């Protein structure tokens, strides 16, 4: 008997949608749009904006490494928002900003940007041995 149904051929294309065709068809937003950035990337951008703002006034900050970490590794009574590490032989000075504690303490993007800038200013002041007001005259006014 002849069957009019063709035999299934192996499909060289990988399946991109779920079994019933209800999965994601493509990216929600193009890569150029801020919507496509992750929370960690947006947070890193806030830190970078703050650093660029301070580097105009303090050019020596170009030699300082600014690092974003999720959470501090030490178990203390209070959770730090940032940390300044002085330069050692062969290692440049480093300022660490902790993402999750700052995100938990801020409710909006504007509040988060302000808190990130305050933490960066405080850590730069600690590293340089100055007061935060002398590092950024607008510190505490926003």
């Amino acid at each position: 008997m002849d069957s009019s149904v063709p035999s299934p051929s192996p499909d060289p294309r990988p399946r991109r949608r779920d079994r019933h065709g209800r999965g994601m068809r493509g990216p929600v937003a193009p890569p150029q749009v801020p919507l496509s950035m992750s929370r960690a990337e947006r947070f890193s951008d806030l830190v970078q904006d703050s650093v660029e703002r301070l580097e105009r006034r303090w050019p020596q900050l170009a030699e300082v490494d600014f690092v974003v970490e999720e959470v501090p590794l030490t178990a203390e009574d209070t959770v730090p928002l940032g940390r300044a590490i002085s330069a050692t032989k062969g290692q440049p000075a480093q300022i660490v900003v902790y993402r999750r504690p700052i995100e938990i303490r801020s409710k909006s993007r504007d509040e988060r940007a302000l808190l990130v800038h305050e933490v960066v200013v405080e850590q730069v002041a600690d590293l340089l041995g100055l007061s935060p007001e002398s590092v950024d005259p607008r510190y505490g006014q926003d």
Side-chain angles (χ1 to χ4, degrees), residues 76-92:
E76 300 175 10
D77 291 338
T78 60
V79 178
L81 303 179
R83 179 175 54 148
I85 303 169
S86 299
T88 59
K89 191 174 189 176
Q91 289 282 76

Side-chain angles (χ1 to χ4, degrees), residues 16-88:
R16 298 198 179 167
R17 295 173 64 189
D18 66 359
R19 188 170 142 212
H20 298 288
R22 296 186 190 112
M24 292 282 292
R25 293 187 181 136
V28 176
Q32 306 86 348
V33 179
L35 178 65
S36 67
M37 294 175 58
S38 69
R39 285 187 320 182
E41 291 171 331
R42 286 193 301 265
F43 188 86
S44 293
D45 283 350
L46 290 176
V47 172
Q48 187 61 37
D49 291 344
S50 181
V51 169
E52 288 172 359
R53 186 170 147 187
L54 290 176
E55 278 182 339
R56 288 185 223 126
R57 184 176 170 135
W58 302 94
Q60 64 264 37
L61 292 179
E63 285 130 29
V64 176
D65 288 339
F66 289 86
V67 179
V68 175
E69 290 183 6
E70 291 292 310
V71 293
L73 298 176
T74 60
E76 300 175 10
D77 291 338
T78 60
V79 178
L81 303 179
R83 179 175 54 148
I85 303 169
S86 299
T88 59

Side-chain angles (χ1 to χ4, degrees), residues 78-121:
T78 60
V79 178
L81 303 179
R83 179 175 54 148
I85 303 169
S86 299
T88 59
K89 191 174 189 176
Q91 289 282 76
Q94 190 177 51
I95 292 180
V96 181
V97 180
Y98 299 113
R99 182 174 74 88
R100 292 296 297 145
I102 291 176
E103 285 181 340
I104 289 170
R105 286 175 176 79
S106 57
K107 293 181 182 10
S108 67
R109 179 169 168 40
D110 292 336
E111 192 176 316
R112 187 171 306 120
L114 180 62
L115 186 55
V116 164
H117 185 67
E118 285 182 359
V119 169
V120 170
V121 168

